[in-house]
Amino acid sequence: RLKGGQIDSSAYGTGSGGSVSLTTPTLSMKKGSLISALTDSDNPLAQGGNITIDSLHVDVLDHSQISATNTGSGNAGTIAISAQDSLSLQHGSAISVASAQGDAGDIDIHTDRMLYVLNSKITTSAAAGLGNGGNITLGNPEFSLLNDSQIIANAVEGSGGNIMLRADFFIPSTDSIVSASSELGLQGKISIQSQYANIANSIGVLNG
């Protein structure tokens, strides 16, 4: 349990970033808690660190963040979360991968029962240069619910990332946004596989 706490792997200089791996029955993050893999290097071969989480329940609440970032020249790391029962992301929280110049890494989230995102974001971003946006895969929950939230895989000059959503029931609110875009490069693709997808007039921005 993290309550305003931090788990951080940071690398500066010329080397690649270190990774964070957590295996726990329950992960609860509150009050601005942070799990971070940060790399800051001018070496374009310096890769960002990865974050791997394996748990039964994952709660990321109250402006907490899980973040893999490369603020230097290289590619960002990846985030892989296996929440066997449920993942809840609420109240200004974020799961994000970002690169300053290289490619953004992927976000891969799998849960069996529930993915609930309330007033929060799941994002990959390549901020500048020819970096490509990372892919986002949200897989196989019974219910995937977005409420006033964003799932974004964007880039500037590179290609936008692809977004794959798989759920028995996918239900976004009208003010939620799903976007896989690039300002100057190729647009990403959005794929939704669901037995029931209530998306008519429900996704605020699609591929935009």
Side-chain angles (χ1 to χ4, degrees), residues 126-170:
L130 297 175
N132 299 312
N135 299 321
I136 298 175
T137 301
L138 307 177
N140 302 326
E142 184 177 358
F143 295 96
S144 184
L145 309 176
L146 303 183
N147 189 349
D148 186 23
S149 295
Q150 300 178 17
I151 299 174
I152 297 175
N154 287 354
V156 178
E157 295 185 42
S159 299
N162 299 318
I163 297 174
M164 167 71 76
L165 305 176
R166 296 191 299 265
D168 291 341
F169 297 87
F170 173 58

mmCIF file of all heavy atoms in Angstrom, residues 126-170:
data_model
loop_
_atom_site.group_PDB
_atom_site.id
_atom_site.type_symbol
_atom_site.label_atom_id
_atom_site.label_comp_id
_atom_site.label_asym_id
_atom_site.label_seq_id
_atom_site.Cartn_x
_atom_site.Cartn_y
_atom_site.Cartn_z
ATOM 1 N N ALA A 126 4.679 10.485 -27.673
ATOM 2 C CA ALA A 126 5.993 10.833 -28.204
ATOM 3 C C ALA A 126 5.963 12.332 -28.458
ATOM 4 O O ALA A 126 5.313 12.809 -29.392
ATOM 5 C CB ALA A 126 6.274 10.061 -29.483
ATOM 6 N N ALA A 127 6.664 13.080 -27.625
ATOM 7 C CA ALA A 127 6.461 14.529 -27.579
ATOM 8 C C ALA A 127 7.076 15.269 -28.749
ATOM 9 O O ALA A 127 6.582 16.323 -29.147
ATOM 10 C CB ALA A 127 7.016 15.089 -26.272
ATOM 11 N N ALA A 128 8.181 14.767 -29.313
ATOM 12 C CA ALA A 128 8.874 15.536 -30.346
ATOM 13 C C ALA A 128 9.669 14.590 -31.238
ATOM 14 O O ALA A 128 9.746 13.389 -31.000
ATOM 15 C CB ALA A 128 9.809 16.572 -29.706
ATOM 16 N N GLY A 129 10.275 15.161 -32.280
ATOM 17 C CA GLY A 129 11.095 14.362 -33.174
ATOM 18 C C GLY A 129 10.272 13.363 -33.963
ATOM 19 O O GLY A 129 9.074 13.540 -34.178
ATOM 20 N N LEU A 130 10.927 12.283 -34.385
ATOM 21 C CA LEU A 130 10.273 11.273 -35.207
ATOM 22 C C LEU A 130 9.756 10.110 -34.380
ATOM 23 O O LEU A 130 9.394 9.066 -34.930
ATOM 24 C CB LEU A 130 11.253 10.764 -36.276
ATOM 25 C CG LEU A 130 11.726 11.814 -37.288
ATOM 26 C CD1 LEU A 130 12.778 11.215 -38.216
ATOM 27 C CD2 LEU A 130 10.563 12.367 -38.090
ATOM 28 N N GLY A 131 9.720 10.263 -33.077
ATOM 29 C CA GLY A 131 9.268 9.178 -32.205
ATOM 30 C C GLY A 131 7.828 8.798 -32.457
ATOM 31 O O GLY A 131 6.958 9.639 -32.709
ATOM 32 N N ASN A 132 7.564 7.491 -32.390
ATOM 33 C CA ASN A 132 6.210 6.968 -32.570
ATOM 34 C C ASN A 132 5.506 6.817 -31.229
ATOM 35 O O ASN A 132 6.133 6.529 -30.208
ATOM 36 C CB ASN A 132 6.259 5.605 -33.265
ATOM 37 C CG ASN A 132 6.880 5.673 -34.645
ATOM 38 O OD1 ASN A 132 6.527 6.539 -35.447
ATOM 39 N ND2 ASN A 132 7.802 4.771 -34.939
ATOM 40 N N GLY A 133 4.196 7.016 -31.248
ATOM 41 C CA GLY A 133 3.412 6.775 -30.046
ATOM 42 C C GLY A 133 3.372 5.300 -29.718
ATOM 43 O O GLY A 133 3.383 4.446 -30.616
ATOM 44 N N GLY A 134 3.359 4.960 -28.435
ATOM 45 C CA GLY A 134 3.275 3.559 -28.033
ATOM 46 C C GLY A 134 1.882 3.001 -28.218
ATOM 47 O O GLY A 134 0.896 3.735 -28.338
ATOM 48 N N ASN A 135 1.799 1.681 -28.259
ATOM 49 C CA ASN A 135 0.504 1.009 -28.370
ATOM 50 C C ASN A 135 -0.110 0.811 -26.988
ATOM 51 O O ASN A 135 0.599 0.634 -25.994
ATOM 52 C CB ASN A 135 0.667 -0.348 -29.050
ATOM 53 C CG ASN A 135 1.227 -0.228 -30.456
ATOM 54 O OD1 ASN A 135 0.861 0.685 -31.198
ATOM 55 N ND2 ASN A 135 2.117 -1.134 -30.824
ATOM 56 N N ILE A 136 -1.434 0.818 -26.937
ATOM 57 C CA ILE A 136 -2.165 0.563 -25.693
ATOM 58 C C ILE A 136 -3.072 -0.639 -25.915
ATOM 59 O O ILE A 136 -3.907 -0.646 -26.825
ATOM 60 C CB ILE A 136 -3.000 1.782 -25.266
ATOM 61 C CG1 ILE A 136 -2.090 2.986 -24.989
ATOM 62 C CG2 ILE A 136 -3.832 1.452 -24.029
ATOM 63 C CD1 ILE A 136 -2.856 4.266 -24.681
ATOM 64 N N THR A 137 -2.904 -1.671 -25.083
ATOM 65 C CA THR A 137 -3.759 -2.854 -25.137
ATOM 66 C C THR A 137 -4.460 -3.007 -23.795
ATOM 67 O O THR A 137 -3.803 -3.094 -22.751
ATOM 68 C CB THR A 137 -2.936 -4.122 -25.436
ATOM 69 O OG1 THR A 137 -2.267 -3.968 -26.686
ATOM 70 C CG2 THR A 137 -3.847 -5.340 -25.526
ATOM 71 N N LEU A 138 -5.776 -3.011 -23.819
ATOM 72 C CA LEU A 138 -6.589 -3.218 -22.620
ATOM 73 C C LEU A 138 -7.395 -4.483 -22.852
ATOM 74 O O LEU A 138 -8.323 -4.499 -23.666
ATOM 75 C CB LEU A 138 -7.506 -2.018 -22.366
ATOM 76 C CG LEU A 138 -6.812 -0.646 -22.322
ATOM 77 C CD1 LEU A 138 -7.843 0.457 -22.146
ATOM 78 C CD2 LEU A 138 -5.784 -0.593 -21.201
ATOM 79 N N GLY A 139 -7.016 -5.552 -22.137
ATOM 80 C CA GLY A 139 -7.513 -6.843 -22.550
ATOM 81 C C GLY A 139 -8.397 -7.592 -21.585
ATOM 82 O O GLY A 139 -8.075 -7.730 -20.404
ATOM 83 N N ASN A 140 -9.507 -8.037 -22.128
ATOM 84 C CA ASN A 140 -10.332 -9.159 -21.686
ATOM 85 C C ASN A 140 -11.102 -9.038 -20.379
ATOM 86 O O ASN A 140 -11.512 -10.054 -19.823
ATOM 87 C CB ASN A 140 -9.482 -10.430 -21.624
ATOM 88 C CG ASN A 140 -8.854 -10.745 -22.960
ATOM 89 O OD1 ASN A 140 -9.434 -10.486 -24.004
ATOM 90 N ND2 ASN A 140 -7.655 -11.291 -22.941
ATOM 91 N N PRO A 141 -11.339 -7.836 -19.833
ATOM 92 C CA PRO A 141 -12.209 -7.808 -18.662
ATOM 93 C C PRO A 141 -13.662 -8.087 -19.063
ATOM 94 O O PRO A 141 -14.056 -7.917 -20.218
ATOM 95 C CB PRO A 141 -12.063 -6.378 -18.148
ATOM 96 C CG PRO A 141 -11.770 -5.581 -19.375
ATOM 97 C CD PRO A 141 -10.920 -6.480 -20.230
ATOM 98 N N GLU A 142 -14.441 -8.493 -18.092
ATOM 99 C CA GLU A 142 -15.874 -8.635 -18.343
ATOM 100 C C GLU A 142 -16.494 -7.263 -18.595
ATOM 101 O O GLU A 142 -17.284 -7.085 -19.521
ATOM 102 C CB GLU A 142 -16.544 -9.316 -17.154
ATOM 103 C CG GLU A 142 -18.024 -9.589 -17.368
ATOM 104 C CD GLU A 142 -18.659 -10.335 -16.223
ATOM 105 O OE1 GLU A 142 -17.940 -10.688 -15.260
ATOM 106 O OE2 GLU A 142 -19.884 -10.561 -16.273
ATOM 107 N N PHE A 143 -16.100 -6.281 -17.793
ATOM 108 C CA PHE A 143 -16.597 -4.918 -17.944
ATOM 109 C C PHE A 143 -15.426 -3.952 -18.068
ATOM 110 O O PHE A 143 -14.495 -3.983 -17.263
ATOM 111 C CB PHE A 143 -17.452 -4.499 -16.743
ATOM 112 C CG PHE A 143 -18.718 -5.273 -16.595
ATOM 113 C CD1 PHE A 143 -18.772 -6.368 -15.745
ATOM 114 C CD2 PHE A 143 -19.852 -4.931 -17.315
ATOM 115 C CE1 PHE A 143 -19.944 -7.097 -15.601
ATOM 116 C CE2 PHE A 143 -21.020 -5.651 -17.183
ATOM 117 C CZ PHE A 143 -21.075 -6.744 -16.327
ATOM 118 N N SER A 144 -15.483 -3.086 -19.076
ATOM 119 C CA SER A 144 -14.526 -2.009 -19.242
ATOM 120 C C SER A 144 -15.311 -0.706 -19.278
ATOM 121 O O SER A 144 -16.063 -0.447 -20.233
ATOM 122 C CB SER A 144 -13.729 -2.183 -20.532
ATOM 123 O OG SER A 144 -12.736 -1.192 -20.653
ATOM 124 N N LEU A 145 -15.162 0.122 -18.239
ATOM 125 C CA LEU A 145 -15.980 1.322 -18.070
ATOM 126 C C LEU A 145 -15.092 2.552 -18.065
ATOM 127 O O LEU A 145 -14.134 2.636 -17.287
ATOM 128 C CB LEU A 145 -16.763 1.248 -16.756
ATOM 129 C CG LEU A 145 -17.579 -0.023 -16.498
ATOM 130 C CD1 LEU A 145 -18.215 0.027 -15.128
ATOM 131 C CD2 LEU A 145 -18.640 -0.211 -17.574
ATOM 132 N N LEU A 146 -15.419 3.526 -18.926
ATOM 133 C CA LEU A 146 -14.723 4.808 -18.954
ATOM 134 C C LEU A 146 -15.706 5.897 -18.576
ATOM 135 O O LEU A 146 -16.765 6.026 -19.198
ATOM 136 C CB LEU A 146 -14.171 5.120 -20.353
ATOM 137 C CG LEU A 146 -13.215 4.116 -21.001
ATOM 138 C CD1 LEU A 146 -12.740 4.659 -22.339
ATOM 139 C CD2 LEU A 146 -12.051 3.802 -20.098
ATOM 140 N N ASN A 147 -15.349 6.697 -17.590
ATOM 141 C CA ASN A 147 -16.213 7.780 -17.132
ATOM 142 C C ASN A 147 -15.387 9.057 -17.072
ATOM 143 O O ASN A 147 -14.490 9.181 -16.240
ATOM 144 C CB ASN A 147 -16.796 7.441 -15.755
ATOM 145 C CG ASN A 147 -17.870 8.411 -15.326
ATOM 146 O OD1 ASN A 147 -18.068 9.461 -15.945
ATOM 147 N ND2 ASN A 147 -18.580 8.071 -14.260
ATOM 148 N N ASP A 148 -15.659 10.004 -18.001
ATOM 149 C CA ASP A 148 -14.928 11.276 -18.051
ATOM 150 C C ASP A 148 -13.425 11.019 -18.069
ATOM 151 O O ASP A 148 -12.670 11.602 -17.296
ATOM 152 C CB ASP A 148 -15.321 12.145 -16.866
ATOM 153 C CG ASP A 148 -14.709 13.549 -16.946
ATOM 154 O OD1 ASP A 148 -14.375 13.984 -18.062
ATOM 155 O OD2 ASP A 148 -14.562 14.185 -15.883
ATOM 156 N N SER A 149 -12.995 10.130 -18.949
ATOM 157 C CA SER A 149 -11.601 9.694 -18.953
ATOM 158 C C SER A 149 -11.034 9.657 -20.363
ATOM 159 O O SER A 149 -11.760 9.795 -21.349
ATOM 160 C CB SER A 149 -11.477 8.314 -18.290
ATOM 161 O OG SER A 149 -11.822 8.398 -16.913
ATOM 162 N N GLN A 150 -9.720 9.456 -20.453
ATOM 163 C CA GLN A 150 -9.035 9.497 -21.745
ATOM 164 C C GLN A 150 -8.118 8.293 -21.909
ATOM 165 O O GLN A 150 -7.393 7.921 -20.979
ATOM 166 C CB GLN A 150 -8.210 10.776 -21.868
ATOM 167 C CG GLN A 150 -9.019 12.051 -21.764
ATOM 168 C CD GLN A 150 -8.157 13.289 -21.842
ATOM 169 O OE1 GLN A 150 -7.009 13.243 -22.267
ATOM 170 N NE2 GLN A 150 -8.711 14.414 -21.430
ATOM 171 N N ILE A 151 -8.160 7.713 -23.108
ATOM 172 C CA ILE A 151 -7.192 6.709 -23.537
ATOM 173 C C ILE A 151 -6.562 7.265 -24.806
ATOM 174 O O ILE A 151 -7.235 7.405 -25.834
ATOM 175 C CB ILE A 151 -7.850 5.347 -23.780
ATOM 176 C CG1 ILE A 151 -8.493 4.821 -22.489
ATOM 177 C CG2 ILE A 151 -6.823 4.340 -24.306
ATOM 178 C CD1 ILE A 151 -9.287 3.551 -22.681
ATOM 179 N N ILE A 152 -5.276 7.602 -24.749
ATOM 180 C CA ILE A 152 -4.642 8.374 -25.814
ATOM 181 C C ILE A 152 -3.291 7.762 -26.158
ATOM 182 O O ILE A 152 -2.486 7.473 -25.269
ATOM 183 C CB ILE A 152 -4.466 9.846 -25.406
ATOM 184 C CG1 ILE A 152 -5.828 10.509 -25.172
ATOM 185 C CG2 ILE A 152 -3.671 10.618 -26.444
ATOM 186 C CD1 ILE A 152 -5.740 11.934 -24.644
ATOM 187 N N ALA A 153 -3.042 7.597 -27.466
ATOM 188 C CA ALA A 153 -1.743 7.120 -27.962
ATOM 189 C C ALA A 153 -1.317 8.057 -29.090
ATOM 190 O O ALA A 153 -1.614 7.803 -30.260
ATOM 191 C CB ALA A 153 -1.837 5.682 -28.444
ATOM 192 N N ASN A 154 -0.646 9.145 -28.744
ATOM 193 C CA ASN A 154 -0.382 10.225 -29.697
ATOM 194 C C ASN A 154 1.105 10.418 -29.973
ATOM 195 O O ASN A 154 1.963 10.005 -29.208
ATOM 196 C CB ASN A 154 -0.973 11.540 -29.179
ATOM 197 C CG ASN A 154 -2.487 11.570 -29.275
ATOM 198 O OD1 ASN A 154 -3.093 10.667 -29.825
ATOM 199 N ND2 ASN A 154 -3.082 12.615 -28.736
ATOM 200 N N ALA A 155 1.372 11.084 -31.096
ATOM 201 C CA ALA A 155 2.732 11.455 -31.484
ATOM 202 C C ALA A 155 2.673 12.794 -32.191
ATOM 203 O O ALA A 155 1.591 13.311 -32.507
ATOM 204 C CB ALA A 155 3.341 10.385 -32.391
ATOM 205 N N VAL A 156 3.858 13.357 -32.467
ATOM 206 C CA VAL A 156 3.941 14.627 -33.184
ATOM 207 C C VAL A 156 4.353 14.383 -34.635
ATOM 208 O O VAL A 156 3.542 14.464 -35.546
ATOM 209 C CB VAL A 156 4.901 15.604 -32.486
ATOM 210 C CG1 VAL A 156 5.010 16.904 -33.279
ATOM 211 C CG2 VAL A 156 4.417 15.910 -31.076
ATOM 212 N N GLU A 157 5.600 14.018 -34.874
ATOM 213 C CA GLU A 157 6.052 13.742 -36.236
ATOM 214 C C GLU A 157 5.983 12.258 -36.580
ATOM 215 O O GLU A 157 5.840 11.889 -37.743
ATOM 216 C CB GLU A 157 7.481 14.252 -36.418
ATOM 217 C CG GLU A 157 7.615 15.767 -36.309
ATOM 218 C CD GLU A 157 9.025 16.226 -36.604
ATOM 219 O OE1 GLU A 157 9.630 15.705 -37.563
ATOM 220 O OE2 GLU A 157 9.522 17.102 -35.889
ATOM 221 N N GLY A 158 6.122 11.408 -35.597
ATOM 222 C CA GLY A 158 6.033 9.974 -35.838
ATOM 223 C C GLY A 158 4.593 9.516 -35.953
ATOM 224 O O GLY A 158 3.647 10.309 -35.941
ATOM 225 N N SER A 159 4.414 8.199 -36.064
ATOM 226 C CA SER A 159 3.068 7.622 -36.172
ATOM 227 C C SER A 159 2.404 7.564 -34.800
ATOM 228 O O SER A 159 3.064 7.341 -33.781
ATOM 229 C CB SER A 159 3.148 6.210 -36.744
ATOM 230 O OG SER A 159 3.711 6.216 -38.041
ATOM 231 N N GLY A 160 1.099 7.764 -34.797
ATOM 232 C CA GLY A 160 0.348 7.566 -33.563
ATOM 233 C C GLY A 160 0.329 6.102 -33.186
ATOM 234 O O GLY A 160 0.428 5.217 -34.040
ATOM 235 N N GLY A 161 0.233 5.820 -31.912
ATOM 236 C CA GLY A 161 0.159 4.429 -31.472
ATOM 237 C C GLY A 161 -1.186 3.816 -31.792
ATOM 238 O O GLY A 161 -2.149 4.508 -32.137
ATOM 239 N N ASN A 162 -1.260 2.496 -31.685
ATOM 240 C CA ASN A 162 -2.516 1.779 -31.885
ATOM 241 C C ASN A 162 -3.153 1.464 -30.537
ATOM 242 O O ASN A 162 -2.458 1.225 -29.549
ATOM 243 C CB ASN A 162 -2.266 0.482 -32.653
ATOM 244 C CG ASN A 162 -1.671 0.726 -34.020
ATOM 245 O OD1 ASN A 162 -2.093 1.641 -34.731
ATOM 246 N ND2 ASN A 162 -0.696 -0.075 -34.407
ATOM 247 N N ILE A 163 -4.481 1.451 -30.521
ATOM 248 C CA ILE A 163 -5.229 1.146 -29.307
ATOM 249 C C ILE A 163 -6.107 -0.068 -29.562
ATOM 250 O O ILE A 163 -6.898 -0.084 -30.510
ATOM 251 C CB ILE A 163 -6.092 2.341 -28.862
ATOM 252 C CG1 ILE A 163 -5.192 3.539 -28.508
ATOM 253 C CG2 ILE A 163 -6.960 1.965 -27.668
ATOM 254 C CD1 ILE A 163 -5.976 4.803 -28.190
ATOM 255 N N MET A 164 -5.958 -1.084 -28.720
ATOM 256 C CA MET A 164 -6.780 -2.289 -28.802
ATOM 257 C C MET A 164 -7.554 -2.445 -27.501
ATOM 258 O O MET A 164 -6.969 -2.547 -26.413
ATOM 259 C CB MET A 164 -5.896 -3.517 -29.031
ATOM 260 C CG MET A 164 -6.618 -4.839 -28.821
ATOM 261 S SD MET A 164 -7.836 -5.224 -30.114
ATOM 262 C CE MET A 164 -6.729 -5.735 -31.430
ATOM 263 N N LEU A 165 -8.877 -2.422 -27.590
ATOM 264 C CA LEU A 165 -9.744 -2.598 -26.428
ATOM 265 C C LEU A 165 -10.526 -3.893 -26.599
ATOM 266 O O LEU A 165 -11.242 -4.064 -27.605
ATOM 267 C CB LEU A 165 -10.718 -1.429 -26.284
ATOM 268 C CG LEU A 165 -10.126 -0.019 -26.213
ATOM 269 C CD1 LEU A 165 -11.238 1.013 -26.180
ATOM 270 C CD2 LEU A 165 -9.245 0.131 -24.991
ATOM 271 N N ARG A 166 -10.418 -4.780 -25.638
ATOM 272 C CA ARG A 166 -11.179 -6.030 -25.675
ATOM 273 C C ARG A 166 -11.905 -6.193 -24.348
ATOM 274 O O ARG A 166 -11.284 -6.135 -23.284
ATOM 275 C CB ARG A 166 -10.260 -7.222 -25.914
ATOM 276 C CG ARG A 166 -9.567 -7.218 -27.254
ATOM 277 C CD ARG A 166 -8.893 -8.565 -27.536
ATOM 278 N NE ARG A 166 -7.875 -8.863 -26.551
ATOM 279 C CZ ARG A 166 -6.591 -8.588 -26.716
ATOM 280 N NH1 ARG A 166 -6.172 -7.981 -27.818
ATOM 281 N NH2 ARG A 166 -5.715 -8.907 -25.779
ATOM 282 N N ALA A 167 -13.222 -6.388 -24.416
ATOM 283 C CA ALA A 167 -14.018 -6.573 -23.203
ATOM 284 C C ALA A 167 -15.358 -7.186 -23.587
ATOM 285 O O ALA A 167 -15.841 -6.983 -24.706
ATOM 286 C CB ALA A 167 -14.240 -5.243 -22.481
ATOM 287 N N ASP A 168 -15.964 -7.920 -22.660
ATOM 288 C CA ASP A 168 -17.324 -8.396 -22.923
ATOM 289 C C ASP A 168 -18.279 -7.214 -23.061
ATOM 290 O O ASP A 168 -19.104 -7.166 -23.963
ATOM 291 C CB ASP A 168 -17.790 -9.320 -21.797
ATOM 292 C CG ASP A 168 -17.032 -10.641 -21.770
ATOM 293 O OD1 ASP A 168 -16.418 -11.000 -22.801
ATOM 294 O OD2 ASP A 168 -17.041 -11.310 -20.722
ATOM 295 N N PHE A 169 -18.141 -6.243 -22.150
ATOM 296 C CA PHE A 169 -18.977 -5.047 -22.178
ATOM 297 C C PHE A 169 -18.062 -3.826 -22.106
ATOM 298 O O PHE A 169 -17.358 -3.638 -21.104
ATOM 299 C CB PHE A 169 -19.954 -5.018 -20.998
ATOM 300 C CG PHE A 169 -20.944 -6.136 -21.007
ATOM 301 C CD1 PHE A 169 -20.635 -7.356 -20.420
ATOM 302 C CD2 PHE A 169 -22.181 -5.979 -21.622
ATOM 303 C CE1 PHE A 169 -21.546 -8.392 -20.438
ATOM 304 C CE2 PHE A 169 -23.103 -7.019 -21.641
ATOM 305 C CZ PHE A 169 -22.785 -8.232 -21.046
ATOM 306 N N PHE A 170 -18.050 -3.014 -23.157
ATOM 307 C CA PHE A 170 -17.264 -1.784 -23.181
ATOM 308 C C PHE A 170 -18.220 -0.604 -23.180
ATOM 309 O O PHE A 170 -18.994 -0.405 -24.113
ATOM 310 C CB PHE A 170 -16.373 -1.732 -24.419
ATOM 311 C CG PHE A 170 -15.661 -0.409 -24.585
ATOM 312 C CD1 PHE A 170 -14.836 0.073 -23.591
ATOM 313 C CD2 PHE A 170 -15.833 0.350 -25.729
ATOM 314 C CE1 PHE A 170 -14.182 1.292 -23.730
ATOM 315 C CE2 PHE A 170 -15.192 1.566 -25.882
ATOM 316 C CZ PHE A 170 -14.371 2.032 -24.874
#
